[in-house]
Amino acid sequence: MKNEYTTKQRTAILDFLRENADRHVKASDVVNYMRESGIKMGTATVYRTLEKFCDEGLIRKFIVDEHTGACYQFVGTPAACHSHFHLKCTECGKLIHLSCEFLENMEKHIYDEHGFTVSSAKTVIYGVCAECSHTQVKKEHADASSCCHAK
Amino acid sequence: MKNEYTTKQRTAILDFLRENADRHVKASDVVNYMRESGIKMGTATVYRTLEKFCDEGLIRKFIVDEHTGACYQFVGTPAACHSHFHLKCTECGKLIHLSCEFLENMEKHIYDEHGFTVSSAKTVIYGVCAECSHTQVKKEHADASSCCHAK
DNA sequence: TTGCGTGCAAAGGTTTTGCATGGCA
DNA sequence: TGCCATGCAAAACCTTTGCACGCAA
């Protein structure tokens, strides 16, 4: 957890995530992309690097589906996304940055009533976005790729 | 998914969940309990049965942490409680099962104002619990059984 | 008897870990 | 030169699946 080195693997992973900032990316996506791009990279490196970026706040980790594994998404500068909540659509993967008064009150309520200090930086509210709610054909397990996949 | 039989395995699992309705029970908890109780039951049966109970609405499945696996909780009547949220303390790991009116309103607010249907089964609110806020002692890993029940 | 439920073991997938090597600063 | 990062493979983990047998109705 001390100084960190800039390696070509880290650069490649961060670039890939930045270019796909409007999607959610799985660890296996990174692995596949690197292999297809001819960039030699072990699986362990991918996981270790993704975890590090999460700690740094550069990317975010989402657990959309318990079976598929975690998704990662670039969020840019760490400070920018610390003040509001995030809604994650489990259908299309869209990430909604939500800062509204109500949720600030929620934070206050949970602290006042339950003594719990909410960390909006780490909290993700999962659900289904408006578009996917409409488009949804009431199918049980809609594949995430079948919906409004932004980009 | 036609007619169903009442077997002693199903009865045992449902009893166990009912007795621990105020906790989060993992599939492995069920397996361990059965083994300790001398009730012979295979892992596959546990998973298959839990899934079936979920479909029937008798129990509810929560995904709190990708590593720990899913949690299950007895809810009794299917329609009863829809707005259970989880607060997870990032310091001690304690999982707080929170169902209060305010959060139900939050769910409604997000739907009304933002068109987003919140999934309380997947959403976990992270932060620091009351005890950890006061005593900054960091325990390693408190299990889910130390579940404060709010309201 | 019928066919759902069960147990066992193996397989499936994602993620982690150990250890020697490689590479940034 | 120090240390961190990497790669490889094995391991760990939760969960699912296949198949023969058991058991409720």
Side-chain angles (χ1 to χ4, degrees), chain A residues 118-139:
Chain A
V118 172
S119 165
S120 59
K122 292 178 182 169
T123 299
V124 177
I125 297 171
Y126 293 96
V128 181
C129 72
E131 285 106 59
C132 289
S133 296
H134 296 147
T135 313
Q136 208 171 29
V137 199
K138 196 66 179 181
K139 46 188 173 180

Side-chain angles (χ1 to χ4, degrees), chain B residues 6 44 47-48 67 69-70:
Chain B
T6 301
Y47 281 101
R48 284 189 277 231
H67 299 0

Side-chain angles (χ1 to χ4, degrees), chain B residues 2 17 23 26 40 64 70 97 115 122:
Chain B
K2 315 297 288 290
L17 283 161
R23 299 182 36 207
K26 287 175 292 185
K40 193 180 179 183
V64 169
H97 180 196
K122 290 181 181 171

Side-chain angles (χ1 to χ4, degrees), chain A residues 85-119:
Chain A
F85 283 92
H86 293 88
L87 307 181
K88 182 78 173 175
C89 178
T90 56
E91 293 296 317
C92 66
K94 182 164 52 191
L95 184 64
I96 302 169
H97 301 255
L98 187 65
S99 73
C100 82
E101 204 174 290
F102 193 93
L103 289 184
E104 286 175 22
N105 288 336
M106 178 195 82
E107 221 170 319
K108 187 174 189 311
H109 164 84
I110 292 179
Y111 181 75
D112 291 344
E113 299 295 318
H114 308 286
F116 191 94
T117 309
V118 172
S119 165

Side-chain angles (χ1 to χ4, degrees), chain A residues 8 24-25 31 36 47 50-51 56 67 76 82 103 109 137:
Chain A
K8 69 174 182 231
H24 51 212
V25 175
V31 173
E36 289 166 9
Y47 281 101
L50 289 173
E51 186 186 3
E56 294 173 19
H67 298 350
H82 272 220
L103 289 184
H109 164 84
V137 199

